[in-house]
Amino acid sequence: MAKLTTIISTLIFLFSSPVFAQTLDTEVLAKFSPSTQRDVYEVSGLTKLTPEQQVKLAQAIEKENKKFVEIIKANEGVMTVKGRNQLAKMRDNTLSSLLSDEQLQQYYRGVFNAAADAEGNAIADGLQKKYNLTDQNWKFIRVACYKYALESKVIKKMMADQPKKAQKKIADLRTYWLNTIEEKGGIRINPDDMTLVFTREFNPNTLHKE
């Protein structure tokens, strides 16, 4: 439970802080092709990398590009599902070997942000339409479901080799965020079947609860 609390605290901190794109070290990357530098930038734009990490990532990306050419050539110009999975595994292995756990979490939050945002909005909008919620309760639902979706995706990705432990963390996370909705708005929701129960009248003082 302590680890879950740490994850939640980190997530809250990240959402309360502005996100800035990382600047590439163009001098150390000068020997690499523009396409490789662009790929490094796509990663470093989501999590801060040291110059050394940028160089190692660029070297790994060049190996990926060579593998890409081999796969395409071997399949008459077609990228197969098997080939795509091979390249994805290469990238995952590269990132997990080069980045710290904190950097990886930050990176995957950036990767999954748009999808999580869409999930949070879809649940909040669906319940709003079905139950005619107040704007404040829509906000409670939207924020909680977004943060749950985002962090659960990160956990699932980073703990892919430990599915049972990942499921337990995700279940605990779900309980935490659903409870925040009930504590703040007096509503209990089930995102799976899009149902809602009012457990008490909304109390605006809960907004200031420490």
Side-chain angles (χ1 to χ4, degrees), residues 74-144:
N75 293 279
E76 300 180 346
V78 175
M79 173 55 69
T80 63
V81 173
K82 180 180 179 181
R84 195 178 302 279
N85 290 338
Q86 285 179 318
L87 292 174
K89 186 174 182 180
M90 287 181 71
R91 178 60 61 89
D92 286 344
N93 289 339
T94 293
L95 294 176
S96 63
S97 65
L98 288 182
L99 277 59
S100 67
D101 283 350
E102 184 178 350
Q103 286 175 314
L104 272 177
Q105 287 179 28
Q106 188 175 16
Y107 171 73
Y108 285 124
R109 285 185 183 111
V111 170
F112 296 127
N113 183 69
D117 185 58
E119 288 184 30
N121 279 318
I123 294 172
D125 288 345
L127 291 172
Q128 169 90 346
K129 183 177 180 180
K130 190 174 180 180
Y131 293 97
N132 192 30
L133 302 174
T134 64
D135 289 343
Q136 194 63 63
N137 271 336
W138 175 92
K139 180 180 178 181
F140 293 150
I141 294 170
R142 187 265 169 208
V143 171

Side-chain angles (χ1 to χ4, degrees), residues 6-18 102 147:
T6 300
I7 290 174
I8 293 168
S9 298
T10 302
L11 184 61
I12 292 173
F13 171 76
L14 286 173
F15 279 101
S16 64
S17 305
E102 184 178 350
K147 291 182 177 179

Side-chain angles (χ1 to χ4, degrees), residues 159-176:
M159 299 182 66
D161 59 339
Q162 304 176 71
K164 290 186 177 180
K165 288 185 177 180
Q167 289 175 5
K168 177 61 168 61
K169 280 194 172 185
I170 290 172
D172 290 343
L173 196 69
R174 175 187 170 100
T175 298
Y176 172 85

Side-chain angles (χ1 to χ4, degrees), residues 22 38 41 48 52 107 147 162:
Q22 166 74 3
R38 181 175 181 179
Y41 180 80
K48 186 175 181 179
E52 181 182 6
Y107 171 73
K147 291 182 177 179
Q162 304 176 71

